[in-house]
Each structure stands twice: as C-alpha cells, then as structure tokens.
Amino acid sequence: MSTIQLKNIVKKYGDGYPAVNDVSLDIADGEFMILVGPSGCGKSTLLRMIVGLEDITSGDLLIDGKKVNQLAPRERNLAMVFQNYALYPHLSVFENIAFPLRLAKGRMSDAEIKTKVNQAADMLELREHLERKPANLSGGQRQRVAMGRAIVRDADAFLFDEPLSNLDAKLRGQMRTEISKMQRRLGITTVYVTHDQTEAMTLGDRVAVLKKGVLQQCASPRELYEQPVNLFVAGFIGSPPMNFLPATVTGDRLHLPFGEVEIHGPKADAIRQRQTVIAGIRPEYFKDAELGEEIDNGMEFRAVVDQTEWLGNDLYAYIPYEMDPSVQRTLDELDKELDGEGVRPQLVVNLDSRSLVSEGEEAHLVFDPSLMHVFDPETGECLTRDEDRAAQIARRSEDERRRALERAKARDAREQVRESA
Ligand SMILES: Nc1ncnc2c1ncn2[C@@H]1O[C@H](COP(=O)(O)OP(=O)(O)OP(=O)(O)O)[C@@H](O)[C@H]1O
Ligand SMILES: [Mg+2]
C-alpha cells in the first residue's frame, strides 16, 4: 500500500522530443488511477518511468514520500502487468505465479509459497489450472496468471499497460470486472494505462488525460464528462463524442446552426464579450420533442435528418449543418489531435429508441441549453466550466472511493473470521 507522487516529470528520448512534459500527479493510497490519451501521448513512457524501466529526465518520483528516481525496478517493489503477459511457456501456471517468490531466494519456504499461490489462485479462479502450461490456457486465463504473479509479491502498487487489449470484447468485459473487484479487495494503489473509454470510465477512481505528453485534466470520470476543462478532454471523453458547433454571440444570445439560445448567469458573463465561440453539446442532451419529454426552458428546433441508426436501446440520428469557416480550423486541428477521421459538419443526436425520426424527414428536437458547454475557439479552454459543481463531484467520488475500500476491508475481515472459525 503506497502513495505515488509525480512532480514535474519530464522524459526526453534521444532525439530531444519531450514524450512526457512536466506531468504532476498525486496518486492516493489505494487509488485506481487511469492514464488515457491518443496513441503516442506518453502513457507507456510515464508508466515505465514509475516502474523504473525508463530513466526520468527531470522531476521527482516519490513512493510513500520517498524519492525513488534512482532506484532500480526491483528495489521499488511495484508489480507490472504487460499487454503480452510475459509468461514462461515451459513452467506450469503454479510455477509462473510462484516465480517472483522463488526469485527472492531463501525468504520463503515451499509451504509458504504454496499457501500464497493457492490464495492468489482462489481469488483468480485458477485453482483447477495450476498444473497446466500457459500455452493451453485461454487469453483471459493467461491474463489472470500474469495478475496472480503480481498479487503474490505483495507489491506496493500495481501497474498495468493495456492489459486487456489482446482479448475479445466479451472477455475484456469480464476481466474488467475482475480487475476492479480485485483492486478494491486488495486495496492496492493501481496505475492503469488504456485507450479504451469504457475501461477508463468504469475502472478509474480518477482518470488522467494526456495530450502529446502534457496532462490536460485529472479528475473522476463524472467530472471529466460533465466539467471538462477544454475541447480536447471534452472531445476525447464520451462516445459518440460531444458535438462541437460554431456559434456567434450577440449580447446574451448565442446563434447556433439550428437556432438561437439565451444564456443566463455566470455562463453569460463568460461569453458576453466574444464574437465567435464553439458550443459543445453531448448527443444525449437532445430529445425527440414528439415523445413529449418536457425540458424547462428547452430550445426547440426542426431539422432534416440525413441518416439514422437504430440500435434497440438507442437511436442515433445524423443532421448536417453549415460550418462556419472561422471555427473550421480549430475543429480540424482538434480532430487531428484526437486521431479522428475528419470533421463532418453534422450533428449527432442520441435519442430514445422509441423515437420515430426517420431518414430524409424533418425531426422535431429539443435540448436544455443549461447543459451546453462553451469553448474559446483559439485556446480551446472551456469558458463555462462550473468550478463549484466540479469540486462537489470530486468530493463525492473521493467519498465513494473511501467507502468502497472500507466495504472491501470489512468483507475480508468477515471472511477471515469465518475461515478461522
Ligand atoms: N525508445 C524510444 N525512443 C524514442 N522515442 C520514443 C521511444 N519510446 C517512445 N517514444 C516516443 O515517445 C512518445 C510517447 O510514446 P509512448 O509509447 O509513451 O506512447 P503511448 O501513449 O503509450 O502510445 P500507445 O497508445 O500507442 O501505446 C511517442 O512520440 C514515441 O514515438
Ligand atoms: Mg503505450
């Protein structure tokens, strides 16, 4: 159990390119921290610096308050699980899990090793596979063996680099749940790299979003979703992604491609002096007005639908609009940063699947302008972020995390009492 602190961490490889640029993060004891971002943004580099496989160019790395920049990987007592598991093919599952214990020579008797491996195998449901070889296991089972090896070491923290990316979708879902349960149960500090949205949102107590080596925002999934600090985070988190619409300002009114909205309160103060801004509206903030869902002060509009996708539980409708050239450049750039496939000036709306909007026909839609974000088209900064609300979300998620850890501890204690009875 440990805290991990990163203070102004920089990594420059041989060519001088800062793969990680001035990243500071405080990871709490027992916290599940996710690192996300597009390919090449420095996630693996950051993880490898924490575990000691990569030198830190500048900045400090502290584990439990102690600077460890110069310590070799094995002196840091962290357990890393890689994407390709790195199992020994000639050893049985038992021996693969026991491997780190045998390495630490003489410290443990065979009986102790057996107890530890069996405990880990029980937790990971590998008990009946202990005598088998890795080649005969499924991808998910191999993954669990790799995790078992991390568990038996009593490491201070777990580090995962895209551990599930080789698995098929169903198994990925199962393993995600298992990792989450195991992490809570062990209460062990975890840093987990992924570029899978679902993993980031469901596993993380907090998620750190990186862009080109620079930390953009580190917050709970809910805060990232509801109160992003900039266009990049807003566009990266959420699927289908947030709609970014060109908007012009006159006084307290915002002209969107589909009509006009009046802005109230602090949001109005933030945009009043501007001319052009980018409005961000998530697909699910739109409703089909024909279904009679009431929205107070909702903005209603009619628009012709180009295409629909009915998925049973959702209905996506695509609605083209005219792009304002003054924000086109910003949105093109954003799209490139997000590894997108080119900006199409079309609104994506996620409606209730009961909706009857159809292709080529006019839809009658409504949305709540108070849910809209407004961004500076030059800097990408979110002008309407609600700091009070963000702080409130952060407090709640920290409370939730603590309670989950306490519940897990209480459950373990009960189980131990039962076992010894
Ligand atoms: N050994 C190396 N030498 C030089 N540059 C490197 C080296 N390893 C990584 N880089 C560069 O550092 C940057 C960050 O790479 P890194 O592997 O950390 O990205 P990542 O976020 O893990 O990407 P992915 O999602 O594709 O795994 C990239 O621009 C990459 O080209
Ligand atoms: Mg990587």
Side-chain angles (χ1 to χ4, degrees):
M1 299 273 278
S2 283
T3 61
I4 302 176
Q5 286 167 288
L6 284 65
K7 296 193 171 168
N8 308 102
I9 296 279
V10 174
K11 173 68 187 185
K12 289 185 178 159
Y13 285 109
D15 57 5
Y17 178 77
V20 171
N21 202 349
D22 200 23
V23 168
S24 296
L25 273 181
D26 269 345
I27 305 170
D29 190 18
E31 186 169 32
F32 203 132
M33 175 68 78
I34 303 269
L35 306 178
V36 287
S39 185
C41 70
K43 306 179 292 292
S44 297
T45 302
L46 199 53
L47 201 70
R48 291 168 59 82
M49 283 192 283
I50 296 173
V51 84
L53 294 170
E54 207 72 72
D55 288 335
I56 296 170
T57 308
S58 68
D60 288 336
L61 172 66
L62 284 74
I63 296 179
D64 266 341
K66 203 171 110 240
K67 186 170 163 182
V68 298
N69 289 42
Q70 306 303 333
L71 291 188
R74 82 166 71 130
E75 295 167 318
R76 296 189 191 186
N77 197 32
L78 307 174
M80 179 127 169
V81 180
F82 295 92
Q83 181 182 29
N84 53 10
Y85 327 137
L87 300 180
Y88 300 102
H90 57 289
L91 297 181
S92 67
V93 167
F94 183 97
E95 285 305 326
N96 262 288
I97 297 178
F99 196 80
L101 303 178
R102 300 230 189 266
L103 266 192
K105 267 189 200 88
R107 279 206 227 134
M108 244 182 231
S109 69
D110 276 353
E112 280 169 321
I113 290 177
K114 193 163 178 200
T115 310
K116 286 214 118 196
V117 173
N118 283 340
Q119 269 171 1
D122 282 342
M123 189 178 306
L124 297 164
E125 290 174 33
L126 284 171
R127 202 53 184 262
E128 69 244 57
H129 304 294
L130 283 173
E131 297 316 315
R132 303 176 74 190
K133 295 279 164 61
N136 302 329
L137 301 180
S138 73
Q141 289 166 337
R142 277 182 229 172
Q143 178 65 51
R144 279 183 262 164
V145 178
M147 289 192 346
R149 198 154 65 184
I151 291 174
V152 292
R153 283 183 44 193
D154 288 328
D156 291 328
F158 282 165
L159 306 172
F160 292 93
D161 195 348
E162 310 218 17
L164 309 183
S165 58
N166 282 346
L167 308 179
D168 67 47
K170 181 154 171 256
L171 199 52
R172 223 166 34 226
Q174 281 172 10
M175 287 306 294
R176 198 172 66 223
T177 318
E178 304 231 346
I179 289 179
S180 167
K181 268 203 308 218
M182 184 190 77
Q183 194 271 347
R184 287 291 185 231
R185 186 155 172 197
L186 299 171
I188 196 162
T189 314
T190 300
V191 188
Y192 187 107
V193 167
T194 181
H195 55 238
D196 183 289
Q197 285 262 346
T198 319
E199 279 173 39
M201 299 301 266
T202 55
L203 285 174
D205 292 312
R206 284 189 299 159
V207 179
V209 184
L210 292 162
K211 169 183 138 187
K212 294 183 186 160
V214 180
L215 179 64
Q216 305 292 304
Q217 184 172 9
C218 175
S220 70
R222 191 181 287 264
E223 184 182 340
L224 289 181
Y225 197 81
E226 290 182 10
Q227 302 291 339
V229 296
N230 60 25
L231 271 178
F232 182 83
V233 175
F236 188 78
I237 302 290
S239 171
M242 186 185 284
N243 292 290
F244 293 125
L245 305 171
T248 47
V249 185
T250 1
D252 287 356
R253 299 189 76 77
L254 208 56
H255 306 262
L256 298 166
F258 303 102
E260 258 185 31
V261 286
E262 195 158 343
I263 306 290
H264 305 276
K267 286 196 180 180
D269 298 336
I271 63 162
R272 195 170 291 130
Q273 305 303 331
R274 295 174 180 265
Q275 290 182 326
T276 312
V277 291
I278 293 173
I281 311 174
R282 295 213 178 266
E284 68 274 20
Y285 292 167
F286 293 91
K287 306 284 173 214
D288 183 346
E290 299 298 326
L291 291 180
E293 292 174 82
E294 293 282 320
I295 295 184
D296 287 345
N297 300 315
M299 181 215 164
E300 290 189 35
F301 64 96
R302 291 175 189 275
V304 176
V305 173
D306 185 39
Q307 202 191 341
T308 58
E309 288 169 349
W310 189 80
L311 301 170
N313 53 344
D314 285 301
L315 180 126
Y316 296 147
Y318 299 85
I319 303 170
Y321 62 84
E322 290 290 319
M323 179 55 90
D324 182 333
S326 63
V327 298
Q328 175 91 51
R329 195 177 43 88
T330 306
L331 292 179
D332 282 341
E333 192 142 314
L334 176 68
D335 182 66
K336 234 186 287 156
E337 286 168 357
L338 293 169
D339 290 339
E341 288 147 9
V343 184
R344 261 189 281 167
Q346 62 176 5
L347 189 67
V348 182
V349 303
N350 180 357
L351 303 175
D352 189 306
S353 61
R354 291 174 301 146
S355 168
L356 298 174
V357 305
S358 49
E359 294 181 2
E361 312 251 323
E362 202 176 59
H364 181 193
L365 303 176
V366 57
F367 79 95
D368 176 358
S370 71
L371 294 173
M372 183 175 59
H373 304 271
V374 179
F375 301 92
D376 182 325
E378 300 301 321
T379 62
E381 184 201 350
C382 183
L383 301 168
T384 48
R385 188 175 132 89
D386 183 342
E387 296 294 340
D388 291 341
R389 170 86 184 125
Q392 191 189 352
I393 299 172
R395 270 195 308 275
R396 270 192 54 177
S397 76
E398 177 58 15
D399 280 353
E400 258 171 46
R401 182 180 82 82
R402 285 176 198 278
R403 279 202 304 271
L405 280 177
E406 275 162 23
R407 273 199 308 274
K409 279 205 189 102
R411 200 161 43 229
D412 261 8
R414 276 200 306 274
E415 270 168 29
Q416 264 170 17
V417 170
R418 210 173 306 140
E419 270 165 30
S420 57

